[in-house]
Structure formats: structure tokens, C-alpha cells
Amino acid sequence: MRGTPAAGAIPAAAWTATPERGSDGVIRAMIWIARRLGWRTAQVLLHPVTAYFLASSPRQQAVSRTYLGRALGRPAGLRDLWRLYFAFASTILDRVWLVPGETRGFTLEICGLEALRAIIAEGRGCLLFGAHFGSFEALRAVADAGSPVEVSVLMHEANARLKAIIDALGGPNRASAVIPLGEPDSMLRVREALEAGGLVGLLADRIPRGDRVRRVDFLGHPAPLPTGPHLLAEVLGAPVMLAFGVWRGPRRYEVRFEAFSPGGASPRAGREQAVSASVARYAARLEAMCREHPYNWFNFHNFWAEEP
Amino acid sequence: MTTQDATALQAQSADLFESEVARLIVGALSLEIPPEEIDPEAPLFGEGLGLDSIDALEMSLVISKTYGVQLRSDDERNHRIFASLRSLAGHIARQRAG
């Protein structure tokens, strides 16, 4: 019984059918082939898989074209769509190795790890804000391998469905580090993980089904972004770093950690403004990443979700 | 004082404590609903009052500050504790007494 949300809720239809949702079968088949025949053979199949993704998702194609046009600053052609879908298929294939932490054969360039280590050393824990951008698994592989502390990922059980298939590859260790969203005590878990000095990663660009949304400028048009992650950081006074696993080419990733907010207690009175400013800052950083690496954006729904 | 009187008194003080917790929550979360209009039996999360897990976090902070009672995620009774205003107030009262 809150007040009317400032921004309209996203229609449920915008959420159904992303390539991620519709292609469990294809992805399972890819995993099987990848495990049996290795990356080199599986990689050849990325072309037909990309063609399949493109052909089977006219609606996502249309929204991707809109996104690409805005990120590239020119009308997007089929070649641009192909690059986007190919990068997406590549990151899915690479999950097969990155999820269990098998980084042999991969080139992972890491930026900002020193800053992350410095925050970890403070023992206050740290929130890592990611996005549906590049590979969260590449990020996690680096964070897990280089981290002296527990790394958890906050995500929806429904979105975790696909991950569950792949997590099976990584053994029970990986699976246990997921903090499910949507439970009353989800954020209590986050607090406890941070209190133990841990890292908690989350994707800060996906709209929850609630009213914690703000429309902010993104690639020249107002887009609804969740305020929850920013409010969480404010309430807990937790430091935040941005984290991106940019796909740069076959088995090549640039994993980037960037300071975002130092944390610390904030007065309740100014929280609303602090959250707004934080969301806008996040959107600006995400926008810069999209312009720099336009084919790493894996939000296959109408991100701007124009109000009806 | 008869047993009936004692029971009535206890029920009355539970009611009072419930309204106190209701005021605390409404204040802490800046809810628009007046505290006295919260149905003590209605779910706090999802349908009902419509709170979410960030609200639960804020609630846990203010409850710990006010009553010294810690709400932890590993408490298996969380689903029952968070079920309604009545169950939450009851939990706080018991923890505080114990």
C-alpha cells in the first residue's frame, strides 16, 4: 500500500520470451556438445546457433535494433544484429567453462582489481553492481579466484533456472552462493554476507516487479531503472563497485572493477535524493560502457518500455 | 484479579504493543497507510501491506535499534515471524522478554 510509483510498472509481456527463456533446449544441447567435444568444435556451432537465435526472435530483433541504433548513433543493420547475437551466444558457450572456474584457454584482462582488494581489506564487504552486459560468469570467475572472501550472487530464482542447469557443472559450492531474491529475508542475507566481509554481486539494470523504479536518461531516452540496489547500498552504508565482464572476442574478456560509491552511513532525510543521484550515475556509466562496447548488451526486451 | 481479568489484561497489552510496532514500522518505512488501519492479521509482504525485502531490512534495523531484538536470515521461523503484524509483534515481545 505504497504511493503510486513514479514510473509505470513494466508490462509482464516485456519479460517473457528472451533468447535466454526460449532456448533451454538449444542451450542444453550446446553444453552437451561443448563438454563432449571441447570449445574449438563447439565454437564452430556458434554460427548456426546465432542464426537460430536471430531467426527465432523477431520481437527481440526489433528491440535490439532500437538499442543498437541508440548505442551506435546510427541506424543498426543486420551485421550489427549478428555481432550482438554472436557475442551473446559466445558468452553462453563460455559459461560452460567459466561457471566451474575453468579459465585455462581464456584470456582474462583484469582492471581495477587493486581497488577491489583495498575495499575487501577494509572488511566491510562490498556490493558489486553488474548489468546484463557481457559475461557475469567471467566476472565471477575472476572475483571467486582472486577473492579471499565469500562471493554471493543475488538473483531471482526464476532467472536462476537456466543458471541451475549450468551450476550443476560447477558443483554444490557454486550453487550455494546464490542469495534468492523475493523472500522477505533476502536483504537480511545480503546484510549478513556483507557483515562477514563478503562480496555480493547483483544485476542493477533489471526492473523488479515492484514500484522501486525510476526513469532516468539512458542513451538519450528515459529508461526505467531499479532503485532497489541503490537503496540497499544506502540503507546498509555499504561500499559499491561496478563490475563488468566485457566480451572482447573468442575466449577473451576484459573484467573491469570500478569504484562507484565509498559507502558509509547516510542520513535518512537525504536518502531519496541520494538514491536518485546514484541511479542516474549508474545509468551514465552503463551508457558509456554501451557506447564503448555496443555488442555486449544482453537485455533482449524493450529496455525503455515506452509508457502506453 | 480473576483469571479472566488477567487474560483480558494480557490481550489488551498485546494489542497496545501491536499498535506500537505498527507505528514504528509506518514511521520507519514512510508508509502512507495510518498505523491503526493495518490489519494485524494481514500479510506484511506481497499481497496485504505489500512490503518487500528492503522494507524487511529497514524494519529489522529499526526493531533492533528500538527493542534490541535481532532479526536474522537464518531463523527458520522467518516465514511465520514476517507473516503478519501480530506474529511480528509477538516475536519481538517474546524475544525481548526472553
Side-chain angles (χ1 to χ4, degrees):
Chain A
M1 262 175 258
R2 300 173 160 282
T4 323
I10 307 309
W15 288 93
T16 52
T18 67
E20 212 170 341
R21 289 288 161 88
S23 336
D24 274 12
V26 174
I27 288 163
R28 272 178 202 275
M30 265 175 73
I31 291 174
W32 187 85
I33 291 167
R35 291 312 273 190
R36 294 283 299 225
L37 306 174
W39 184 83
R40 265 172 217 293
T41 311
Q43 193 248 144
V44 174
L45 294 172
L46 282 178
H47 295 89
V49 166
T50 301
Y52 168 83
F53 277 163
L54 263 173
S56 66
S57 59
R59 221 148 39 102
Q60 286 88 322
Q61 234 191 79
V63 296
S64 299
R65 216 180 261 274
T66 304
Y67 154 74
L68 283 167
R70 289 173 181 176
L72 296 165
R74 58 167 172 81
L78 191 58
R79 211 181 106 81
D80 297 307
L81 279 172
W82 181 272
R83 287 185 70 177
L84 177 71
Y85 276 66
F86 186 80
F88 177 64
S90 302
T91 60
I92 290 183
L93 174 61
D94 290 346
R95 278 181 185 175
V96 174
W97 291 275
L98 293 176
V99 168
E102 295 167 22
T103 52
R104 206 158 40 92
F106 284 78
T107 307
L108 301 167
E109 260 176 74
I110 307 168
C111 309
L113 197 59
E114 288 316 305
L116 180 64
R117 289 219 170 102
I119 285 191
I120 289 174
E122 289 176 31
R124 291 190 290 155
C126 183
L127 288 168
L128 293 178
F129 286 3
H132 288 76
F133 186 97
S135 167
F136 202 66
E137 283 69 32
L139 196 63
R140 208 173 155 194
V142 168
D144 278 358
S147 172
V149 296
E150 174 88 6
V151 180
S152 322
V153 181
L154 184 65
M155 67 194 308
H156 256 295
E157 294 280 30
N159 296 352
R161 189 176 50 119
L162 173 62
K163 258 189 81 54
I165 303 171
I166 305 163
D167 271 347
L169 297 165
N173 257 354
R174 294 292 176 132
S176 68
V178 171
I179 300 178
L181 268 170
E183 296 291 326
D185 60 8
S186 300
M187 298 305 152
L188 297 180
R189 279 176 205 280
V190 172
R191 179 182 62 184
E192 288 155 20
L194 293 174
E195 276 171 358
L199 297 176
V200 179
L202 59 92
L203 299 174
D205 63 340
R206 180 132 311 172
I207 310 305
R209 281 173 205 227
D211 52 5
R212 298 197 192 274
V213 171
R214 192 135 309 155
R215 273 186 180 267
V216 291
D217 191 68
F218 180 69
L219 293 170
H221 300 264
L225 278 165
T227 55
H230 305 267
L231 180 59
L232 176 67
E234 285 287 323
V235 170
L236 293 173
V240 180
M241 290 198 80
L242 300 185
F244 299 101
V246 185
W247 185 80
R248 301 298 301 267
R251 286 197 289 187
R252 212 153 66 73
Y253 289 88
E254 180 188 324
V255 175
R256 200 189 279 186
F257 300 100
E258 275 179 33
F260 184 69
S261 119
S266 73
R268 234 197 108 78
R271 192 174 282 166
E272 187 90 6
Q273 285 90 328
V275 166
S276 288
S278 183
V279 175
R281 233 158 29 86
Y282 172 79
R285 276 308 302 146
L286 195 55
E287 174 177 309
M289 288 299 289
C290 287
R291 291 199 197 277
E292 201 179 327
H293 306 285
Y295 307 107
N296 267 267
W297 175 257
F298 303 146
N299 272 301
F300 292 95
H301 61 94
N302 181 5
F303 194 72
W304 287 270
E306 273 86 12
E307 276 162 304
Chain B
M1 194 160 61
T2 67
T3 321
Q4 276 145 336
D5 284 344
T7 314
L9 200 66
Q10 225 169 25
Q12 203 185 15
S13 95
D15 274 356
L16 277 175
F17 188 60
E18 254 169 43
S19 347
E20 186 185 314
V21 173
R23 280 197 300 279
L24 186 73
I25 291 172
V26 166
L29 305 182
S30 314
L31 300 181
E32 290 182 352
I33 184 174
E36 60 278 9
E37 277 179 31
I38 294 179
D39 176 355
E41 303 270 359
L44 293 171
F45 295 89
E47 298 306 309
L49 201 55
L51 303 186
D52 65 17
S53 60
I54 297 186
D55 294 315
L57 174 65
E58 292 208 70
M59 231 160 64
S60 79
L61 294 174
V62 72
I63 286 168
S64 121
K65 209 166 117 189
T66 314
Y67 303 112
V69 172
Q70 304 289 343
L71 298 171
R72 307 283 308 176
S73 74
D74 52 14
D75 196 324
E76 284 163 19
R77 299 162 300 173
N78 269 345
H79 271 278
R80 257 184 299 145
I81 295 168
F82 286 130
S84 66
L85 172 63
R86 181 151 296 160
S87 56
L88 179 66
H91 174 74
I92 299 169
R94 278 190 304 276
Q95 291 295 112
R96 202 157 59 136

